[in-house]
Amino acid sequence: MYPEKLELLINGEWCQGSEGKSEPVINPATEEVLAEVPHASVSDLDRALQASAEGFKVWRATSPLQRQAVIEKAASLMQERIDDIARTLTMEMGKPFGESKVEIGFVIDVARWYGEEGKRAYGRLVPSRFPGARQMVVKEPVGPACAFVAWNFPGTNVIRKIAGALGAGCSIIIKPSEETPGTAVAIARCFQDAGLPPGTLNVVFGVPGEVSSHILASSIPRKVSFTGSIPVGKHLLKLSADTLKRCTMELGGHAPVVVFDDADIEKTLNTLAVFKFRNAGQVCISPTRFYVQDKSYKAFVEGFTERAKAVKVGNGMDDGIEMGPLIADRRLDVMDEFVADAKDHGASITTGGERMGNQGYFYSPTVLSDVPDDARIMVDEPFGPLAPITHFNSFDEVVERANSLPFGLASYVFTSDGGKAAKIEDALDAGLVGVNHPGVATPETPFGGVNESGYGSEGGIEGLDAFLRTKFITEVGV
Ligand code: NAD
């Protein structure tokens, strides 16, 4: 049974939409309807906006130590409820239950990290050029915030916004994905049950374009944070321009993986095959363009293919499953289009390349070799279990090819040569570089892209700073 009751959270109260509208939530592994997610009406959104303005006054006046105590209580409640939250996550999103539990563990870590870091929103004193003057730089919460997030990490995407805002002293209205609402509701319940003041956290659902245009037209939110696709990010930026909101944009990428001949190929394959098929490749930092140096190319393709064939695909609630379905049937069509286009461009499919079964949105772990740079899959983010592999000869050539797209989120390098690693770390046009391991996302380190992958960071001291503004105060004679 789907454990979560789906409701909106407005001004500290759980409710249905005032116009009674809703949409079904589908289990992507079984195509069953799990529940109905309520849609907020325009008047519900206006109440949420007003509540966030009032909630902000209360929360910003709450000391960082008291805020941390509430966030810590919410984190403890999430820990107590982890099995139920992870079950909700798997049922609505599809990833294996074990992966869902790891995700909720990460959610708890992020909450704790921001709660603690909120105590350290330090300013500074600057020596003055005016005799007797004291010059102070202080950090204060930016104001009520709003956030819109995608379905691929129903917990992580949500907590990075909620905990970042609350840790900094902001209130927030969040619109999680309508495809994965239950995880967000379960997390929000932990915050409410922990004693968060009414209006500090508001959760709404609806038709995404309608909700975001209404909320962003209001001058109440002073900050918007979005995780999702590049076209939607650009659209939200335009909507935010009229009221000049501060923006954090965590958008898509197309992560190059550079494997040099001097890398330990077996270790590299073991790391990359697991990482590629995690969450069925629906990860903004998923490795998506594999450049392997000439001498290792053949062995790499064979080894990757073997490992892809061994991935156990199925319903994420079943034991031993390593990869679940895609989020929706629209994504199966997109995978087929990528594969057909790659074939037309001369690529070979060494395994996979098709839908699996006829119930649930399963797509086979797919490896494509000899993929030319102008195939669509080397240009557009695949966001699925597809691994296109090509080869390269020289350092300069691979850097140029890796940097050839407008995106710049994650990038990965495998080499045993420290000098080469240092040189390519500098050369890659990306916000994140992982050398010999993929650990580029932790609560305590900045996570974010450059160029069309967006701007602003989540995590690290930068993640807290995204919800703070700077005030300069100078005083004399007091
Ligand atoms: P999509 O762009 O239609 O939707 C992505 C998310 O954005 C959804 O959760 C949706 O609710 C939200 N959204 C869409 N329009 C919105 C609007 N006008 N206002 C506010 N929110 C809005 O894409 P999709 O088909 O669901 O997913 C596939 C693509 O999305 C992929 O190609 C990938 O690039 C991107 N994506 C990126 C991330 C990420 O972490 N960067 C996450 C999920 C999806």
Side-chain angles (χ1 to χ4, degrees):
M1 258 255 306
Y2 185 63
E4 205 47 60
K5 182 175 180 203
L6 301 180
E7 293 174 303
L8 309 172
L9 175 61
I10 299 174
N11 202 21
E13 284 171 13
W14 293 99
C15 58
Q16 295 296 315
S18 62
E19 288 174 3
K21 291 190 184 152
S22 66
E23 70 180 281
V25 180
I26 310 286
N27 181 333
T30 61
E31 301 184 37
E32 280 172 308
V33 174
L34 295 168
E36 289 282 322
V37 56
H39 280 196
S41 63
V42 166
S43 72
D44 295 330
L45 295 178
D46 285 337
R47 281 197 303 124
L49 284 162
Q50 210 44 55
S52 76
E54 296 304 316
F56 177 61
K57 288 182 200 158
V58 176
W59 193 240
R60 76 167 296 190
T62 304
S63 82
L65 274 78
Q66 287 171 293
R67 288 183 212 142
Q68 186 268 335
V70 174
I71 296 171
E72 174 53 37
K73 179 89 200 315
S76 306
L77 289 172
M78 286 187 246
Q79 191 66 58
E80 277 171 28
R81 301 175 191 176
I82 190 166
D83 283 335
D84 277 352
I85 306 177
R87 193 173 314 121
T88 296
L89 200 166
T90 291
M91 291 180 83
E92 64 188 12
M93 197 270 149
K95 70 180 64 172
F97 181 69
E99 253 183 62
S100 295
K101 267 186 96 162
V102 169
E103 179 171 346
I104 302 306
F106 185 83
V107 165
I108 293 164
D109 274 358
V110 170
R112 291 201 160 119
W113 194 86
Y114 274 116
E116 282 296 330
E117 198 58 19
K119 297 177 187 169
R120 291 182 276 277
Y122 300 139
R124 67 188 194 277
L125 285 179
V126 181
S128 175
R129 61 175 62 203
F130 307 110
R134 194 206 305 263
Q135 302 188 135
M136 292 167 280
V137 179
V138 296
K139 294 283 183 180
E140 46 186 40
V142 66
C146 64
F148 307 91
V149 298
W151 43 264
N152 61 330
F153 283 91
T156 303
N157 292 345
V158 160
I159 198 68
R160 280 178 166 158
K161 314 297 182 194
I162 294 179
L166 297 182
C170 299
S171 59
I172 184 165
I173 303 176
I174 187 163
K175 191 203 77 58
S177 169
E178 288 67 29
E179 287 175 312
T180 56
T183 309
V185 167
I187 290 171
R189 282 194 203 286
C190 293
F191 280 95
Q192 284 312 110
D193 295 350
L196 201 64
T200 313
L201 168 62
N202 303 275
V203 181
V204 296
F205 300 100
V207 176
E210 292 173 12
V211 175
S212 57
S213 51
H214 191 77
I215 289 180
L216 293 174
S218 163
S219 57
I220 291 174
R222 296 309 327 151
K223 159 92 195 178
V224 57
S225 188
F226 173 66
T227 298
S229 67
I230 293 170
V232 174
K234 288 179 179 174
H235 171 68
L236 299 184
L237 276 175
K238 287 177 194 155
L239 293 178
S240 306
D242 281 343
T243 49
L244 222 68
K245 298 187 200 312
R246 280 265 297 277
C247 299
T248 293
M249 291 284 143
E250 206 285 276
L251 309 179
H254 202 332
V257 183
V258 177
V259 181
F260 287 104
D261 279 334
D262 55 43
D264 179 332
I265 295 296
E266 281 301 300
K267 253 197 197 164
T268 304
L269 281 166
N270 289 340
T271 303
L272 284 174
V274 172
F275 190 43
K276 170 69 247 183
F277 299 113
R278 186 174 72 112
N279 207 10
Q282 303 168 114
V283 183
C284 56
I285 56 166
S286 185
T288 42
R289 295 179 281 148
F290 293 79
Y291 300 95
V292 183
Q293 204 160 14
D294 287 330
K295 276 194 214 135
S296 311
Y297 181 66
K298 192 165 169 285
F300 187 90
V301 171
E302 283 169 9
F304 210 99
T305 304
E306 208 177 285
R307 285 163 177 79
K309 282 182 179 160
V311 174
K312 291 196 183 62
V313 181
N315 186 327
M317 288 311 298
D318 294 343
D319 283 347
I321 292 302
E322 293 166 322
M323 192 182 105
L326 302 188
I327 187 70
D329 56 358
R330 67 176 182 280
R331 301 299 305 162
L332 295 171
D333 296 338
V334 175
M335 295 306 116
D336 276 342
E337 286 162 23
F338 275 123
V339 170
D341 174 84
K343 271 206 262 182
D344 287 349
H345 281 80
S348 306
I349 299 171
T350 64
T351 185
E354 59 198 3
R355 181 176 182 166
M356 294 173 82
N358 49 19
Q359 192 195 37
Y361 311 128
F362 295 99
Y363 204 85
S364 49
T366 300
V367 180
L368 301 127
S369 64
D370 298 323
V371 189
D373 288 0
D374 61 349
R376 220 190 104 203
I377 194 171
M378 295 303 262
V379 182
D380 292 342
E381 183 183 27
F383 226 66
L386 313 182
I389 312 179
T390 181
H391 49 97
F392 73 93
N393 179 255
S394 71
F395 182 94
D396 290 346
E397 172 209 333
V398 79
V399 167
E400 194 181 323
R401 288 167 74 189
N403 287 345
S404 63
L405 300 184
F407 319 108
L409 187 55
S411 57
Y412 305 97
V413 179
F414 289 82
T415 178
S416 57
D417 179 336
K420 205 182 275 174
K423 209 170 144 198
I424 201 165
E425 285 160 15
D426 282 350
L428 287 169
D429 201 13
L432 308 162
V433 184
V435 178
N436 294 328
H437 84 136
V440 295
T442 78
E444 60 277 6
T445 51
F447 180 90
V450 297
N451 305 333
E452 292 206 15
S453 291
Y455 44 74
S457 297
E458 308 201 278
I461 51 176
E462 292 82 356
L464 189 77
D465 206 51
F467 288 94
L468 296 171
R469 64 184 189 186
T470 303
K471 183 179 275 176
F472 171 61
I473 302 167
T474 181
E475 63 183 34
V476 73
V478 285

